[in-house]
Amino acid sequence: MFEVDHPATQAWKRERLQNAGIAIPESLTFAAIDFETQTLAGGLRRAGFKADEPAFFSMLGVIVYLTRDAAMSTLRFVASLPSGSEIVFDYAIPPSALSESDRKLHDDVTHQVAARGEPWLSYFAPAALAGDLPGIGFARVEDLGPDEIHDRDFKGRTDGLRLNGIARLVKAGR
Ligand SMILES: C[S@@+](CC[C@H](N)C(=O)[O-])C[C@H]1O[C@@H](n2cnc3c(N)ncnc32)[C@H](O)[C@@H]1O
């Protein structure tokens, strides 16, 4: 298992683990990569990742912080891996396509994170992504919005918890 993160965040995580006395499992390798200035391919290669075997990637809560170019180049690398490889990621819908209440939520969230120095940098229109992902080599794409996720995973909840509509969840495989 490889833990990929921005070098600054990963150094902070490692320090926190050390301070808390949490041992790093032998099966875990850290790969510090800034997706804006380095490639996932190069960073993983340096960390010992075998690109000739299928791999699963979880990339949740990350794409919004990347430029479109960095996001697409990262996805392109996963799409270049052997058949059976898969990635799960979420992405933000362009604010112009949101309902009024979701746009307000989006504005509040992005305002807060931008004030902390981590602005949202990329948005994807679902219809365009549905063409782009097969175009870069993904054979299987599942793109779920809040209603589908609710029907699959939240049905029967009694606490009224619902997802907002500002982001969607994708599983894309080779
Ligand atoms: C909201 S957090 C998501 C955390 C993740 N889901 C987890 O459970 O650890 C956003 C993550 O994106 C990472 N990130 C933001 N910009 C990045 C970049 N240019 N290169 C690599 N990682 C980046 C941050 O370091 C942070 O770990």
Side-chain angles (χ1 to χ4, degrees):
M1 182 176 291
F2 293 83
E3 206 276 341
V4 176
D5 204 342
H6 188 282
T9 316
Q10 194 169 81
W12 175 81
K13 282 179 185 166
R14 297 185 72 161
E15 194 186 320
R16 300 279 293 172
L17 288 169
Q18 193 174 12
N19 291 345
I22 298 173
I24 309 299
E26 274 182 25
S27 56
L28 176 66
T29 301
F30 288 100
I33 303 171
D34 178 348
F35 293 127
E36 298 295 339
T37 57
Q38 299 165 290
T39 63
L40 181 58
L44 280 178
R45 193 183 329 109
R46 282 191 295 280
F49 176 81
K50 295 186 190 129
D52 57 354
E53 291 178 18
F56 173 77
F57 292 77
S58 168
M59 195 173 182
L60 297 172
V62 180
I63 293 255
V64 289
Y65 298 104
L66 304 183
T67 56
R68 191 186 176 83
D69 281 355
M72 289 311 289
S73 115
T74 303
L75 294 174
R76 230 176 262 117
F77 167 67
V78 178
S80 75
L81 293 174
S83 173
S85 297
E86 202 168 75
I87 184 167
V88 168
F89 67 92
D90 51 359
Y91 68 94
I93 314 279
S96 58
L98 297 177
S99 68
E100 199 179 324
S101 60
D102 278 338
R103 195 167 329 126
K104 180 170 179 342
L105 175 66
H106 162 272
D107 292 351
D108 289 348
V109 169
T110 52
H111 184 76
Q112 280 176 32
V113 294
R116 291 204 297 263
E118 296 182 332
W120 283 18
L121 299 178
S122 66
Y123 296 86
F124 294 86
L129 202 58
D132 290 347
L133 292 176
I136 61 174
F138 286 110
R140 297 171 285 116
V141 177
E142 198 176 357
D143 183 337
L144 302 177
D147 292 340
E148 290 113 321
I149 295 172
H150 185 273
D151 284 349
R152 276 168 52 136
D153 301 324
F154 283 47
K155 244 186 186 151
R157 290 189 72 114
T158 54
D159 57 8
L161 183 66
R162 283 203 72 89
L163 291 175
N164 62 62
I166 66 177
R168 295 176 66 91
L169 190 61
V170 172
K171 180 169 81 171
R174 293 271 298 122

